[in-house]
Amino acid sequence: MNIAYLISAHNDPQQLKRLVEALGNNAWCFIHIDKKSDIKPFIDVLSCIEGDRIQFIKERTDIRWGTFLQVEYQMALLKETLEYSHERKSDVDFHGFDRYITLSGLDYPITPSKLAADNTFDPSKEYIMGIDMSSEVVSGKYTEIYRHARPFFNIPYIGNTANQRLSIICRKILCVLGINKPLVLPNGWHLYKGASWWAVTESLAEYIYNTYVSTPLLKKFFINSFGPDETLIPTIVFNSPYAKKCMEVTGEYPGLKALTPLTYIDYEPIIKILTEEDLPTLLDSGKLFCRKIASGKSDKLVEKLEKL
């Protein structure tokens, strides 16, 4: 099984190295380093790994949390990974990637041995979750944040802080005026929310990227939305022919933890840095990966995971 890991990182090069080494020999790692970060320490720490299975993508984004810039890095990862796969398919021994799996540089496999097994993933299933935020069952307290338009500013030379302040001012003005975003897109698609972490087939990865490129209204709709990295891709997927293969959640909004299919993350109140005390919880979670793992704080946990 050939697996492409689409990894986003901005700090802790040593942890990224630890993650890459744990993913195994059937892993190709396509890595986006935040443009704000110095890429050299990441390149240096991974230079000991031979071959072409480590690819730092060329298109780097200066990421700001909760903005459309996160979508831009997602699409850059998909684009360069798909291009690599298509170029390699002329090789007799390469048939493409069986799975495209998104990770952060602060992730780590809970049971590394499972990643190499051919039966880890059901070939008829797409491991991406989503909930229809336009459903009447979902309470307004959960949908309100997606109704507020958040004008996106990325004016060069004034800095991220100034751009963010402009966005906040405009959002407050729009709220006072009662101007809200709909939960159904102009083309009739329902807004879906999921997580940024998923595992899909190459066919669906290609569909996601091609749909994004060929559907201009997606950028127009999501560029002033909150957290579009958790809504744009699920919206494409669950309004597509692939929806039946995916993992739709119905009923009341269950929280982001319940919408993350393969990665254990303790989101409350902020994402927790995991330690060896969390090992029993991780082993009982049924997940393949966990986050956050940090050098110096999670070392004993990683040592125990490596022995499983």
Side-chain angles (χ1 to χ4, degrees):
M1 177 177 287
N2 294 336
I3 301 178
Y5 291 96
L6 283 59
I7 303 172
S8 58
H10 70 282
N11 66 355
D12 204 342
Q14 288 296 332
Q15 161 53 26
L16 178 63
K17 178 176 182 285
R18 189 160 55 183
L19 166 64
V20 169
E21 290 177 338
L23 293 176
N25 294 328
N26 67 331
W28 278 259
C29 297
F30 297 84
I31 303 169
H32 175 274
I33 302 298
D34 192 324
K35 200 172 183 178
K36 289 188 293 295
S37 303
D38 181 2
I39 196 171
K40 187 176 184 302
F42 295 93
I43 294 175
D44 289 347
V45 81
L46 291 176
S47 62
C48 61
I49 301 177
E50 298 180 354
D52 66 344
R53 295 192 177 214
I54 308 297
Q55 300 277 333
F56 288 93
I57 71 167
K58 301 179 182 66
E59 186 179 339
R60 296 172 63 198
T61 300
D62 182 356
I63 298 172
R64 295 205 305 269
W65 181 85
T67 72
F68 197 79
L69 292 169
Q70 290 184 285
V71 172
E72 291 188 355
Y73 93 72
Q74 288 178 319
M75 293 302 161
L77 278 167
L78 280 171
K79 176 177 181 288
E80 295 196 28
T81 308
L82 287 164
E83 287 176 347
Y84 177 92
S85 178
H86 291 320
E87 290 171 3
R88 282 290 308 276
K89 282 182 180 176
S90 59
D91 297 351
V92 176
D93 60 344
F94 185 84
H95 62 268
F97 293 117
D98 299 287
R99 288 286 163 177
Y100 284 56
I101 300 178
T102 53
L103 299 174
S104 84
L106 301 180
D107 289 11
Y108 197 81
I110 296 173
T111 49
S113 60
K114 285 187 177 181
L115 300 179
D118 290 336
N119 62 349
T120 298
F121 299 102
D122 181 343
S124 67
K125 189 174 182 179
E126 303 289 355
Y127 293 83
I128 181 169
M129 303 177 77
I131 185 170
D132 184 353
M133 298 301 283
S134 70
S135 169
E136 294 180 356
V137 180
V138 179
S139 302
K141 64 180 179 179
Y142 297 118
T143 61
E144 182 180 10
I145 195 170
Y146 297 102
R147 290 187 179 276
H148 291 165
R150 297 167 178 260
F152 174 72
F153 293 94
N154 195 25
I155 302 170
Y157 312 117
I158 71 171
N160 285 345
T161 300
N163 278 304
Q164 289 169 344
R165 286 175 179 171
L166 278 173
S167 178
I168 291 169
I169 291 169
C170 290
R171 173 169 58 84
K172 290 181 176 179
I173 291 172
L174 292 172
C175 286
V176 170
L177 295 175
I179 300 174
N180 294 317
K181 291 177 66 66
L183 297 176
V184 177
L185 279 65
N187 63 353
W189 287 3
H190 289 203
L191 177 71
Y192 275 79
K193 176 180 171 59
S196 301
W197 319 112
W198 32 259
V200 300
T201 59
E202 184 161 90
S203 175
L204 180 51
E206 195 158 23
Y207 180 89
I208 290 168
Y209 180 74
N210 289 341
T211 301
Y212 171 75
V213 171
S214 63
T215 313
L217 73 82
L218 288 172
K219 183 173 183 178
K220 184 177 180 180
F221 182 88
F222 285 100
I223 198 167
N224 64 352
S225 297
F226 171 74
D229 61 307
E230 297 174 345
T231 53
L232 187 147
I233 288 176
T235 296
I236 291 175
V237 167
F238 286 96
N239 288 279
S240 79
Y242 290 86
K244 292 181 179 180
K245 296 182 178 182
C246 302
M247 305 164 72
E248 182 169 6
V249 175
T250 57
E252 180 60 282
Y253 177 70
L256 195 53
K257 185 175 182 179
L259 294 172
T260 309
L262 299 177
T263 306
Y264 175 86
I265 305 174
D266 187 341
Y267 286 99
E268 302 298 339
I270 59 173
I271 298 179
K272 177 185 179 183
I273 295 177
L274 302 172
T275 67
E276 61 180 328
E277 296 177 356
D278 297 296
L279 181 60
T281 302
L282 297 181
L283 296 179
D284 289 340
S285 70
K287 306 289 187 178
L288 287 177
F289 305 97
C290 61
R291 176 171 180 246
K292 285 183 171 179
I293 300 293
S295 296
K297 296 182 179 180
S298 308
D299 295 350
K300 290 184 179 179
L301 171 61
V302 171
E303 288 174 8
K304 291 186 176 182
L305 290 174
E306 287 175 340
K307 295 176 181 177
L308 294 177

